């Protein structure tokens, strides 16, 4: 029995000595790999659906999507269709039962292609975005003049209204416009892979050639209203989208700037003192 305890004691002494011979790493690095989801996010613009439901003069539908390229860079696109009837009022000084000087209906499709850059630093597991981006957009559409009135300053035969015109009525097809668009927005993950987003858009027309016919292009699908003498337009969207995860990728580490160590200068030698 004594021989057994002696052997056990000798084994413990050797094990403790071996464990103390190895150095202890006080700066041990975290080897856990954090991965984020990469994939295709697709959805619809809720604002156009709501406007179609409440506004009888408007019908619109827009699909939105983006694809993640890097940790902060996304390819983005929007594809939609809009139809809107607009009337131009005669003004407060004209008492008219008819209401509008002319009424037209614009109908067409558009596509927007570009990139988004996420400026928001997420915690582990988050996929939220506060982003800026840009688009190149193109729209093709038709414009139909539904009704118009001939302006007459004397109004001798029609003191309460203008006479209705008929010659220019009809549909004008083959219209197209292109523009650049600046985008700023956000997207928040409310449930797993489900996102609510909102964005504001400022566009500037590239091609704005005056069309042939009696009526200018006063509304462009995807661009919104066109004002006289201005190439700018504003818009917005509120989206609901779903992320289709395709693969996972670890976070890209930020490169830290390494400051060079100061050069060591030799200490000056003691000069002999004067006697």
């Amino acid at each position: 029995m004594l021989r057994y305890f002696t052997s056990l004691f000798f084994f413990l002494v050797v094990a403790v000595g071996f464990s103390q011979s190895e150095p202890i790493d006080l700066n041990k690095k975290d080897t856990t790999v954090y991965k984020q989801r990469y994939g295709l996010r697709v959805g619809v613009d809720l604002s156009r659906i709501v406007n179609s439901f409440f506004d009888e003069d408007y019908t619109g539908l827009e699909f939105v999507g983006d694809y993640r390229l890097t940790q902060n860079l996304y390819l983005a696109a929007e594809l939609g269709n809009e139809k809107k009837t607009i009337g131009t009022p005669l003004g407060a000084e004209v008492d008219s039962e008819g209401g509008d000087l002319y009424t037209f209906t614009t109908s067409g499709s558009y596509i927007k292609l570009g990139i988004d850059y996420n400026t928001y630093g997420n915690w582990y597991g988050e996929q939220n975005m506060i982003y800026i981006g840009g688009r190149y957009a193109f729209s093709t559409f038709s414009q139909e003049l539904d009704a118009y009135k001939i302006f007459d300053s004397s109004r001798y035969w029609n003191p309460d209204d203008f006479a209705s015109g008929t010659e220019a009525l009809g549909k004008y097809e083959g219209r197209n416009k292109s523009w650049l668009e600046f985008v700023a927005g956000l997207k928040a993950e409310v449930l797993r892979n489900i996102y609510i987003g909102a964005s504001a858009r400022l566009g500037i027309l590239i091609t704005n050639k005056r069309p042939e016919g009696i009526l200018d292009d006063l509304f462009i699908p995807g661009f919104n209203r066109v004002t006289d003498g201005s190439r700018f337009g504003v818009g917005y969207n509120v989206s609901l989208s779903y992320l289709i995860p395709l693969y996972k990728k670890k976070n890209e580490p930020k490169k830290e700037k390494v400051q060079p160590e100061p050069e060591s200068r030799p200490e000056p030698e003691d000069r002999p003192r004067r006697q």
Side-chain angles (χ1 to χ4, degrees), residues 106-126:
T106 301
S107 178
S109 304
Y110 60 90
I111 185 171
K112 304 177 182 181
L113 300 172
I115 58 172
D116 290 332
Y117 182 80
N118 186 19
T119 63
Y120 180 72
N122 286 289
W123 292 90
Y124 172 67
E126 289 184 341

Side-chain angles (χ1 to χ4, degrees), residues 71-72 117-123 126-131 187:
Q71 185 170 329
N72 296 317
Y117 182 80
N118 186 19
T119 63
Y120 180 72
N122 286 289
W123 292 90
E126 289 184 341
Q127 295 277 122
N128 302 322
M129 293 179 65
I130 299 177
Y131 64 91
K187 290 180 182 178

Side-chain angles (χ1 to χ4, degrees), residues 37-258:
R37 288 161 286 162
Y38 282 66
L40 178 65
R41 183 164 38 198
V42 293
V44 295
D45 178 15
L46 298 178
S47 64
R48 284 173 168 78
I49 296 177
V50 172
N51 289 339
S52 300
F53 182 78
F54 288 101
D55 188 354
E56 61 180 9
D57 294 328
Y58 175 83
T59 302
L61 180 63
E62 180 181 278
F63 296 99
V64 300
D66 61 51
Y67 181 80
R68 190 175 189 181
L69 295 176
T70 66
Q71 185 170 329
N72 296 317
L73 190 64
Y74 296 75
L75 283 177
E78 291 87 23
L79 176 65
N81 182 275
E82 286 186 311
K83 181 179 180 181
K84 187 175 180 63
T85 299
I86 300 175
T88 301
L90 290 169
E93 297 180 358
V94 180
D95 183 14
S96 171
E97 296 179 358
D100 295 330
L101 181 61
Y102 58 88
T103 304
F104 66 94
T105 300
T106 301
S107 178
S109 304
Y110 60 90
I111 185 171
K112 304 177 182 181
L113 300 172
I115 58 172
D116 290 332
Y117 182 80
N118 186 19
T119 63
Y120 180 72
N122 286 289
W123 292 90
Y124 172 67
E126 289 184 341
Q127 295 277 122
N128 302 322
M129 293 179 65
I130 299 177
Y131 64 91
I132 57 175
R135 304 283 191 276
Y136 171 77
F138 179 81
S139 176
T140 176
F141 57 97
S142 64
Q143 197 157 242
E144 183 173 3
L145 184 60
D146 302 316
Y148 73 99
K149 296 176 181 180
I150 302 173
F151 183 82
D152 185 2
S153 59
S154 65
R155 300 176 63 190
Y156 179 79
W157 300 105
N158 295 282
D160 298 327
D161 200 358
F162 295 114
S164 298
T166 57
E167 292 183 0
L169 295 179
K171 195 171 186 178
Y172 299 85
E173 299 185 358
R175 307 291 180 97
N176 57 77
K177 300 287 184 181
S178 64
W179 65 93
L180 294 177
E181 196 170 80
F182 173 76
V183 185
L186 56 88
K187 290 180 182 178
E189 188 176 20
V190 293
L191 294 173
R192 181 70 173 181
N193 295 330
I194 298 178
Y195 294 80
I196 289 290
S199 68
R201 294 153 184 272
L202 174 64
I204 177 171
L205 288 169
I206 300 176
T207 57
N208 190 27
K209 184 179 179 181
R210 180 182 175 89
E212 296 180 0
I214 192 174
L215 191 63
D216 288 343
D217 293 329
L218 301 179
F219 180 85
I220 303 173
F223 184 84
N224 214 335
R225 292 292 295 265
V226 180
T227 57
D228 188 21
S230 175
R231 300 167 64 93
F232 292 92
V234 294
Y236 69 94
N237 74 354
V238 179
S239 63
L240 175 66
S241 55
Y242 178 79
L243 173 65
I244 304 173
L246 302 178
Y247 61 95
K248 289 186 177 181
K249 184 179 178 181
K250 67 178 181 179
N251 292 355
E252 299 172 2
K254 295 182 179 180
K255 296 182 180 180
E256 297 182 356
K257 294 182 179 179
V258 179

